[in-house]
Amino acid sequence: MSGDVRAAAEAWLAIDPDPDTRAELQALLDADDEAALADRFGARLEFGTAGLRGPLGAGPNRMNRVVVMRTSAGLARFLATRTDRPTVVVGHDARHKSDRFARDAAEVLAAAGVEVTLLPRALPTPILAFAVRDLGASAGVMITASHNPAPDNGYKLYLGDADAGSQLVSPDDARVLAEIDAVAAEGGLPPTSREVTIAGEDLIGRYITATARLADGVRGDIRWVYTPMHGVGLAKVRQVVAAAGLPQPIVVPSQAEPDPDFPTAPFPNPEEPGTLDPAFEAARSSRAALALANDPDADRLAVAVPDGDGWRRLSGNETGLLLGWTIASQAHTAGGTLATSIVSTPGLARIADHFGFAYAQTLTGFKWISRAPGLLYGFEEALGYLVDPKTVRDKDGVSALVVVLREAVRLANEGRTIEDRLADIEAAIGRFDSDQISLRVQDLDEITAIMTRLRERPPAAVGSLRVESVNDLLDGSDGLPPSDVLRYTLAGGARLVVRPSGTEPKLKAYLDVWSDAATPEERRAETDAKLAALRDGVHALLAG
């Protein structure tokens, strides 16, 4: 075993305050498990599209108490360069060790002279994002891994002040990491203090009141099913819906209570096949009109509707267009911007044009979407929706749920459904359809090689669709920061975006097609054909 790796592991063992990770590390040292130790100590977690995120375990490449404490000490040093009196709000979800990590973060920040407010219990991520703005905090820390598997956890960072409660972006992420590195280089653990304020219920009440206003006074009754996916959404959804005067849900009992092991959904992402099956069964048996699901930290929303004898989950793009149309058509302002990430459907641009609003595209992630100038609404195809930027400057599955439920009730009062509204949208802007292809690799160099090949030998066509233009974002383009992304504009209104995943060893391709044929049947036939051709072409393109 490398002496450096063993020395790093032994030094870590000497300071680790967690008996679980100490026992794990001691077992690896006793077994002389070089591969496992190198994996934990040969790299470190870095800020990606969702902050720090990774599996629980010992070492700088895992989520643990040492990483959380050093990250918080580095954050305190960074904030001291921005303000003389920094304030931070800290929250957590119901995952394994989330409460301990949140307490560690709060106590380290307090010892560094930061005024800290700790949320009183496991709560949805959007409440933390709300608290940063509501309290005028310098920053916010949310301990969560969102919809990742049970062994994972994370450290999500928001900046306040001029950043208005948005997530951390470059170059500040590099500055925070530099401060964390400086803390780690000093060795040991940062000091702690229990001078932490626990947030009162009035803070949570202000979020509930603000979110309930999105119901806009709509009243009516429909039967709908809800699942929090073993997470923290249920209590707040019930409270918000009650305050809004909207009907209460039929709750999926097997997924109702917080459970960090996610027993019915090992990968608790509503996009994953099978995760919504219990909700569909509840919806069928109760003859519901709608099924809604949050992910475990309630910042995402899935929407499902009856489909013949079964149920169909709307894609993130479908729900994104549904919400975009709803907000744009009912906006109480003459100006504003509708925004999506570069991998989400181009259909929102058509909606913006239809209603006379500006449109913006950003890099992937709500840390970018939330910064669109004059933002009225933003979404991303991965079930993330920002419907109330005055209240929460991040995706919020609870506020999005209120808007979808409000519209379902409004439509039911007219004898119509969500599917009818989607048909209205298609008639106005054409039919947009999308798909995603992921190529998982064992070696990240494979992704680099494919992206290099695509740049050096750009295709003239993808399948049967001619390439009309290529937009390489490697050096930045169209006002977007540099990013390892290729965008292809294809014949017939189709589009392809290729980029490496920011969180997994995958190369991702995002496929979008469009049709404005005369009838719904013709539009569907055309987009189905284009999408099939594009899928075949992308598989061939990535294979080389």
Side-chain angles (χ1 to χ4, degrees):
M1 180 184 297
S2 162
D4 290 345
V5 170
R6 175 170 281 278
E10 289 174 343
W12 192 282
L13 184 64
I15 64 167
D16 192 342
D18 189 330
D20 293 336
T21 44
R22 282 203 311 271
E24 169 200 337
L25 192 49
Q26 187 64 63
L28 294 176
L29 285 165
D30 290 345
D32 205 29
D33 191 334
E34 182 172 3
L37 289 168
D39 182 41
R40 287 160 174 78
F41 290 90
R44 67 172 183 187
L45 297 179
E46 297 198 15
F47 284 101
T49 54
L52 298 178
R53 191 178 291 184
L56 295 167
N61 202 30
R62 296 288 189 273
M63 277 297 299
N64 52 67
R65 293 185 65 186
V66 178
V67 163
V68 167
M69 295 174 79
R70 288 177 170 176
T71 298
S72 301
L75 172 61
R77 294 184 183 185
F78 167 78
L79 293 176
T81 68
R82 290 168 58 106
T83 178
D84 292 334
R85 298 185 62 186
T87 58
V88 175
V89 189
V90 179
H92 66 89
D93 65 10
R95 284 177 173 267
H96 289 296
K97 297 190 181 292
S98 282
D99 55 348
R100 180 65 262 177
F101 291 168
R103 173 60 69 172
D104 284 338
E107 292 181 356
V108 167
L109 288 162
V114 177
E115 183 181 327
V116 181
T117 299
L118 179 64
L119 297 186
R121 57 187 171 276
L123 289 166
T125 293
I127 293 181
L128 184 281
F130 167 81
V132 174
R133 302 188 75 188
D134 182 75
L135 299 177
S138 308
V141 171
M142 184 70 187
I143 303 298
T144 180
S146 192
H147 58 278
N148 277 37
D152 289 1
N153 214 322
Y155 190 109
K156 190 172 185 179
L157 180 56
Y158 296 83
L159 292 182
D161 304 325
D163 292 276
S166 295
Q167 293 179 55
L168 186 71
V169 296
S170 178
D172 287 333
D173 55 356
R175 293 170 181 157
V176 173
L177 279 172
E179 297 290 359
I180 296 168
D181 284 344
V183 171
E186 295 167 6
L189 289 177
T192 61
S193 167
R194 295 190 176 182
E195 293 296 317
V196 173
T197 299
I198 304 300
E201 295 301 318
D202 56 328
L203 170 66
I204 300 166
R206 290 193 294 275
Y207 170 82
I208 290 168
T209 298
T211 305
R213 289 194 192 106
L214 296 172
D216 205 24
V218 172
R219 296 292 185 271
D221 191 27
I222 64 167
R223 191 176 290 119
W224 65 287
V225 164
Y226 173 71
T227 174
M229 205 67 66
H230 298 296
V232 295
L234 178 58
K236 296 304 143 222
V237 165
R238 278 179 164 157
Q239 287 178 269
V240 170
V241 166
L246 293 169
Q248 286 289 325
I250 299 163
V251 179
V252 177
S254 63
Q255 298 177 333
E257 297 303 319
D259 187 331
D261 292 317
F262 309 118
T264 72
F267 197 94
N269 180 348
E271 291 182 296
E272 286 292 308
T275 57
L276 292 182
D277 286 352
F280 293 164
E281 179 55 38
R284 278 191 293 267
S285 62
S286 63
R287 297 186 177 182
L290 183 69
L292 301 174
N294 288 134
D295 65 341
D297 71 327
D299 66 349
R300 286 174 170 81
L301 175 72
V303 178
V305 296
D307 183 32
D309 294 331
W311 279 75
R312 178 177 78 88
R313 179 183 65 79
L314 304 186
S315 72
N317 281 327
E318 284 180 288
T319 301
L321 295 183
L322 171 69
L323 285 166
W325 182 275
T326 298
I327 290 168
S329 64
Q330 299 170 20
H332 302 302
T333 176
T337 300
L338 308 185
T340 57
S341 68
I342 56 175
V343 300
S344 302
T345 175
L348 191 64
R350 297 254 176 178
I351 291 176
D353 183 65
H354 183 86
F355 289 104
F357 290 102
Y359 171 71
Q361 277 193 319
T362 75
L363 294 183
T364 304
F366 276 83
K367 61 185 182 181
W368 300 109
I369 293 171
S370 65
R371 287 176 164 81
L375 184 66
L376 180 66
Y377 165 71
F379 90 92
E380 194 162 62
E381 46 75 40
L383 306 185
Y385 314 99
L386 197 169
V387 303
D388 187 18
K390 301 185 303 300
T391 301
V392 173
R393 209 77 177 181
D394 193 16
K395 59 184 176 292
D396 181 348
V398 180
S399 60
L401 179 149
V402 171
V403 176
V404 171
L405 181 59
R406 175 193 84 195
E407 289 311 296
V409 170
R410 192 196 302 271
L411 287 164
N413 291 342
E414 301 169 359
R416 306 181 75 226
T417 67
I418 292 290
E419 288 280 67
D420 292 328
R421 175 56 51 81
L422 291 172
D424 295 341
I425 297 170
E426 181 180 314
I429 65 170
R431 178 180 175 83
F432 287 84
D433 205 350
S434 58
D435 198 3
Q436 184 182 138
I437 293 172
S438 294
L439 176 65
R440 182 176 288 275
V441 301
Q442 296 299 317
D443 184 348
L444 290 176
D445 288 343
E446 295 177 54
I447 291 177
T448 302
I450 294 172
M451 295 298 288
T452 299
R453 171 172 56 80
L454 293 177
R455 288 187 167 100
E456 293 177 348
R457 303 197 304 274
V462 181
S464 59
L465 299 174
R466 186 181 72 260
V467 174
E468 295 184 341
S469 64
V470 182
N471 184 208
D472 188 348
L473 301 188
L474 195 59
D475 296 318
S477 177
D478 296 335
L480 297 172
S483 186
D484 191 7
V485 176
L486 288 167
R487 295 193 292 182
Y488 301 89
T489 300
L490 308 175
R495 188 190 70 174
L496 170 65
V497 180
V498 181
R499 72 174 184 96
S501 168
T503 57
E504 299 176 276
K506 288 181 179 179
L507 185 65
K508 291 188 172 183
Y510 301 84
L511 293 59
D512 290 283
V513 296
W514 173 73
S515 171
D516 63 348
T519 68
E521 294 76 19
E522 290 172 322
R523 290 192 291 269
R524 176 181 287 276
E526 184 175 342
T527 55
D528 284 353
K530 285 181 178 177
L531 205 52
L534 191 51
R535 285 190 197 100
D536 291 343
V538 169
H539 284 299
L541 182 68
L542 298 184

